[in-house]
């Protein structure tokens, strides 16, 4: 609508033309100076995010607005967020006026609302391209309806997300990727395998194969990647974010029309996901109850428990270990994002997907505030668990919410499962205190911390630490520095020369520190029993997360 050197076209200047000469400004008069770049006809207000852009003058009708399931004020707010210049409404028998709330919103946003009572002059020079865009919207609606009916028929026939992805890929002639809300792949499909491989190589996915949902490359909307064009829409139902569906093509540039159609597919995917969640919820409850019974020693005798577990696809008749995963207290994202699943459930689903590739006969369930896994034990079990953890954390995926992990020793009998569950809980608790937020700790790693964790009287541990270390328990820079010196002396068995080298001190400087330490603590260089007490006191401080340099 503008060209180099020409004066910009504004909403106010258009009101002075014969195109809108009969127009009446209903609200948002302070925004009449907004720049207009083009006119856009909207027949379906709920698809507004697909068809409008900044500096558009939006033309719509009372009939179109009456079809919307949202208040007119929401339509106005969405238009303002998109940067439109104004909204022109052709009133008819469906809508003859606008409500006070909508007027107030438009006035606050300074977004002009203009009413006209006659048909738009679509042959006017200002309306160039409006007919074409209207045709695009109609075509998109027909394509969307065709795809929706196809996918609903597949879903009603019992098709899962993989079948729906295949049907959508065939209908749209694209590669289709379905993921969780944090980008973990659930299904891929495409008639052209090279197209699918190109999608997986594109910059929209990270090195682990996760869609970059939290970045521009893999975020919602249309964009061009290094391998082709991609359209990404959200899969949501009941205001809960269930995931993403992405359409990808190497051969053509995807359009706004394609994005509209993919959004229709996402709506059916959401129905399928909701259906599957409802069906699995009952089974998941039985699985979780039985796993809880095993952990509490109520699973029954070994042969009976093993046979019952097989109904769920679990193999607990082999040597197993228990793994406990617990989010860091106080970081549950659902407090800020009520439209998402509880954090423990999301983490359980993430671990379930990663675990299925490595041990499909493992047991897993979300129990209260933790996720519990019971998997086969072998010489490489710990490494396999670390690989699973790395897969879940990924690149900006499930790892956004920190968690600690505890790993038990193996056992071969159902009767021993409660004991190794306790080991995993102890490893998690003590490991997080010693090593911090992302600790992954095996029970065998704890050493003397295992014994210290059995002392239930915290006051007794506190008293022992203060009586042994005296002012070295203070949280001053000098006290921390002296504790570090003491810890290194104990580690080298009071080898002054080696300690000085490790701490980069002069020999005489360290000798001076030893004298100072003995004035505070007693003659620990001569008394092995005192050295043992000092070592235990330092470990108690480390176990409580006071010193993380150890």
């Amino acid at each position: 609508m503008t060209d180099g050197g020409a004066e910009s076209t504004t909403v106010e200047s258009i009101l002075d033309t014969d195109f809108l000469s009969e127009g009446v400004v209903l609200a948002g008069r302070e925004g009449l100076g907004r720049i207009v770049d083009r006119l856009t006809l909207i027949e379906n207000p709920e698809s507004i995010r697909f068809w409008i852009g900044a500096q558009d003058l939006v033309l719509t009708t009372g009939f179109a607005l009456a079809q919307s399931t949202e208040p007119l004020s929401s339509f106005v707010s969405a238009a303002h967020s998109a940067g439109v210049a104004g909204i022109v409404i052709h009133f008819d028998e469906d809508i003859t006026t606008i409500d006070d709330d909508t007027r107030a919103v438009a006035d606050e946003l300074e977004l002009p609302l203009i009413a006209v009572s006659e048909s738009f002059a679509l042959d006017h020079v200002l309306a160039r391209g409006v007919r074409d865009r209207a045709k695009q919207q109609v075509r998109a609606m027909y394509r969307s309806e065709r795809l929706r009916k196809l996918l609903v028929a597949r879903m009603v026939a019992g098709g899962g997300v993989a079948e729906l992805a295949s049907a959508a890929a065939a209908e749209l002639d694209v590669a289709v990727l379905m993921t969780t809300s944090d980008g973990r792949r659930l299904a891929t499909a495409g008639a052209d395998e090279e197209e699918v491989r190109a999608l997986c190589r594109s910059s929209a996915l990270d090195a682990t194969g996760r869609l970059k949902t939290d970045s521009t490359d893999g975020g919602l909307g249309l964009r061009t990647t290094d391998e082709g064009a991609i359209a990404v829409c959200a899969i949501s139902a009941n205001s809960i974010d269930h995931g993403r569906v992405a359409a990808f093509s190497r051969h053509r540039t995807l359009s706004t029309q394609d994005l509209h159609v993919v959004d229709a597919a996402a709506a059916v995917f959401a129905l399928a996901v909701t259906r599957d969640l409802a069906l699995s919820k009952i089974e998941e409850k039985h699985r979780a109850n039985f796993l809880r019974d095993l952990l509490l020693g109520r699973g029954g005798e070994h042969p009976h428990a093993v046979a019952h577990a097989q109904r769920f696809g679990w193999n607990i008749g082999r040597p197993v270990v228990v793994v406990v995963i617990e989010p860091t207290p106080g970081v549950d994202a659902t407090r800020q994002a009520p439209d998402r699943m509880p954090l423990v459930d999301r983490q359980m689903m993430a671990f379930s997907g990663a675990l299925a590739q490595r041990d499909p006969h493992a047991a897993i369930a979300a129990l209260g505030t933790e996720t519990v896994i019971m998997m086969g034990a072998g010489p490489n079990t710990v490494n396999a668990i670390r690989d699973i953890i790395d897969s879940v954390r990924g690149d900006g995926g499930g790892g956004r919410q920190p968690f600690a992990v505890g790993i038990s020793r193996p056992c071969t009998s159902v009767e021993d499962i409660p004991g190794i569950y306790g080991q995993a809980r102890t490893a998690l608790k003590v490991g997080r205190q010693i090593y911090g937020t992302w600790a992954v700790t095996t029970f065998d790693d704890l050493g003397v911390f295992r014994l210290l964790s059995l002392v239930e009287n915290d006051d007794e541990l506190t008293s022992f630490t203060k009586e042994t270390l005296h002012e070295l328990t203070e949280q001053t820079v000098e006290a921390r520095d002296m504790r570090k010196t003491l810890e290194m002396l104990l580690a080298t068995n009071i080898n002054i020369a080696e300690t000085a080298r490790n701490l980069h001190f002069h020999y005489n400087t360290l000798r001076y520190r030893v004298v100072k330490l003995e004035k505070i603590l007693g003659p620990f260089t001569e008394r092995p029993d005192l050295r043992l007490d000092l070592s235990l006191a330092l470990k108690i401080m480390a176990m409580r997360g006071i010193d993380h340099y150890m």
Side-chain angles (χ1 to χ4, degrees):
M1 298 256 334
T2 61
D3 52 45
E7 185 176 351
S8 297
T9 302
T10 64
V11 178
E12 188 172 25
S13 65
I14 294 177
L15 283 170
D16 293 333
T17 69
D18 55 354
F19 178 64
L20 287 180
S21 59
E22 301 298 324
V24 177
V25 180
L26 303 176
R29 185 174 294 275
E30 295 299 320
L32 291 177
R34 292 191 182 209
I35 303 298
V36 177
D37 187 60
R38 65 175 181 177
L39 303 178
T40 297
L41 180 63
I42 293 294
E43 296 286 359
N44 179 9
E46 294 186 354
S47 65
I48 185 173
R49 66 185 185 277
F50 299 108
W51 301 109
I52 67 173
Q55 299 184 352
D56 280 5
L57 182 61
V58 175
L59 314 178
T60 190
T61 65
F63 172 78
L65 295 175
Q67 312 312 308
S68 177
T69 57
E70 296 183 347
L72 181 55
S73 58
S74 298
F75 174 68
V76 171
S77 297
H80 171 74
S81 298
V84 305
I87 300 174
V88 179
I89 305 173
H90 177 207
F91 286 135
D92 50 32
E93 62 273 12
D94 293 280
I95 290 184
T96 59
T97 186
I98 60 173
D99 57 88
D100 292 339
D101 287 343
T102 302
R103 290 174 185 264
V105 170
D107 283 332
E108 181 181 354
L109 299 176
E110 298 183 2
L111 180 68
L113 295 185
I114 301 169
V116 294
S117 57
E118 300 298 330
S119 298
F120 303 122
L122 294 182
D123 56 347
H124 194 279
V125 65
L126 294 177
R128 287 176 298 185
V130 171
R131 281 196 181 93
D132 289 339
R133 291 181 66 78
K135 289 179 181 177
Q136 290 175 22
Q137 293 181 39
V138 171
R139 289 193 189 100
M141 284 189 283
Y142 276 115
R143 286 182 65 198
S144 299
E145 182 64 12
R146 173 186 170 89
L147 180 60
R148 185 190 67 80
K149 288 181 178 179
L150 172 66
L151 296 181
V152 168
R154 292 289 180 91
M155 186 188 72
V156 171
V161 293
E163 289 184 61
L164 295 180
S166 296
E171 177 70 16
L172 301 177
D173 190 25
V174 294
V176 169
L177 168 67
M178 181 183 174
T179 77
T180 59
S181 58
D182 62 355
R184 287 177 291 107
R185 191 182 313 180
L186 296 177
T188 53
D192 184 351
E193 286 300 321
E194 182 54 38
E195 190 103 316
V196 175
R197 286 192 288 270
L199 167 60
C200 296
R201 291 193 305 265
S202 75
S203 57
L205 276 66
D206 65 24
T208 67
R210 190 193 300 267
L211 183 68
K212 299 176 182 176
T213 58
D214 54 355
S215 75
T216 302
D217 289 338
L220 299 176
L222 282 171
R223 61 190 47 82
T224 300
T225 73
D226 49 352
E227 295 284 346
I230 190 169
V232 181
C233 293
I235 300 172
S236 61
N238 299 324
S239 300
I240 296 177
D241 184 359
H242 289 293
R244 301 289 182 271
V245 57
F248 174 87
S249 177
R250 292 180 301 153
H251 307 295
R252 63 185 177 90
T253 300
L254 300 182
S255 65
T256 300
Q257 187 180 140
D258 293 302
L259 185 64
H260 189 281
V261 178
V262 173
D263 189 63
V268 183
F269 279 128
L271 293 175
V273 169
T274 304
R275 176 202 63 187
D276 293 344
L277 287 174
L279 292 174
S280 65
K281 191 171 184 179
I282 297 175
E283 182 181 357
E284 185 60 39
K285 182 178 180 180
H286 289 302
R287 292 158 64 96
N289 286 341
F290 181 58
L291 182 55
R292 183 180 287 107
D293 285 343
L294 289 172
L295 299 176
L296 298 178
R298 302 191 303 236
E301 295 181 355
H302 184 86
H304 169 78
V306 170
H308 190 73
Q310 288 176 342
R311 300 177 186 175
F312 301 124
W314 301 345
N315 181 1
I316 62 173
R318 55 183 172 165
V320 295
V321 297
V322 169
V323 183
V324 178
I325 304 104
E326 185 177 74
T328 299
V331 300
D332 191 342
T334 56
R335 295 178 183 175
Q336 289 77 36
D339 58 338
R340 303 190 72 187
M341 291 183 189
L343 176 56
V344 173
D345 291 339
R346 299 201 312 272
Q347 288 187 342
M348 188 277 290
M349 291 179 64
F351 274 97
S352 181
L355 184 65
Q357 302 175 21
R358 294 166 175 82
D359 188 352
H361 300 295
I364 181 171
L367 304 177
T369 61
E370 64 189 18
T371 296
V372 178
I373 297 172
M374 192 182 304
M375 60 186 294
N380 296 315
T381 300
V382 174
N383 289 336
I385 294 171
R386 292 185 183 276
D387 287 343
I388 291 170
I389 293 168
D390 290 341
S391 175
V392 170
R393 289 178 62 175
D395 181 10
R400 284 195 295 268
Q401 300 299 334
F403 54 82
V405 179
I407 306 169
S408 75
R409 288 174 170 170
C411 80
T412 57
S413 173
V414 168
E415 288 77 9
D416 295 331
I417 289 175
I420 65 170
Y421 171 60
Q423 292 176 2
R425 287 290 310 151
T426 298
L428 183 148
K429 176 184 176 182
V430 178
R432 180 155 54 197
Q433 290 174 327
I434 300 170
Y435 305 115
T437 301
W438 290 103
V440 179
T441 313
T442 68
F443 187 70
D444 285 335
D445 287 340
L446 296 181
V448 71
F449 291 112
R450 287 166 46 199
L451 299 178
L452 293 175
S453 67
L454 297 176
V455 180
E456 297 181 357
N457 190 334
D458 284 345
D459 292 339
E460 189 62 36
L461 290 176
T462 300
S463 176
F464 173 80
T465 303
K466 288 183 177 180
E467 291 173 3
T468 304
L469 293 176
H470 302 289
E471 60 259 42
L472 263 61
T473 59
E474 297 174 2
Q475 292 307 303
T476 62
V477 174
E478 182 181 4
R480 291 193 190 99
D481 193 34
M482 293 300 283
R483 286 200 301 270
K484 186 174 182 179
T485 301
L486 175 62
E487 186 238 343
M488 187 59 68
L489 282 166
L490 295 172
T492 62
N493 199 25
I494 318 299
N495 187 318
I496 305 297
E498 184 178 353
T499 301
R501 286 194 300 272
N502 290 339
L503 295 177
H504 306 290
F505 286 163
H506 188 276
Y507 183 86
N508 290 336
T509 300
L510 188 60
R511 290 291 302 175
Y512 169 77
R513 287 198 168 208
V514 170
V515 171
K516 186 176 181 179
L517 284 169
E518 289 201 309
K519 287 182 179 179
I520 299 171
L521 307 172
F524 65 88
T525 59
E526 301 174 2
R527 291 177 50 191
D529 59 325
L530 180 53
R531 291 201 294 272
L532 176 59
D533 288 348
L534 293 172
S535 179
L536 287 174
L538 289 172
K539 289 188 182 299
I540 291 171
M541 295 191 71
M543 187 176 71
R544 295 183 170 188
I546 298 173
D547 285 332
H548 285 293
Y549 61 79
M550 297 180 63

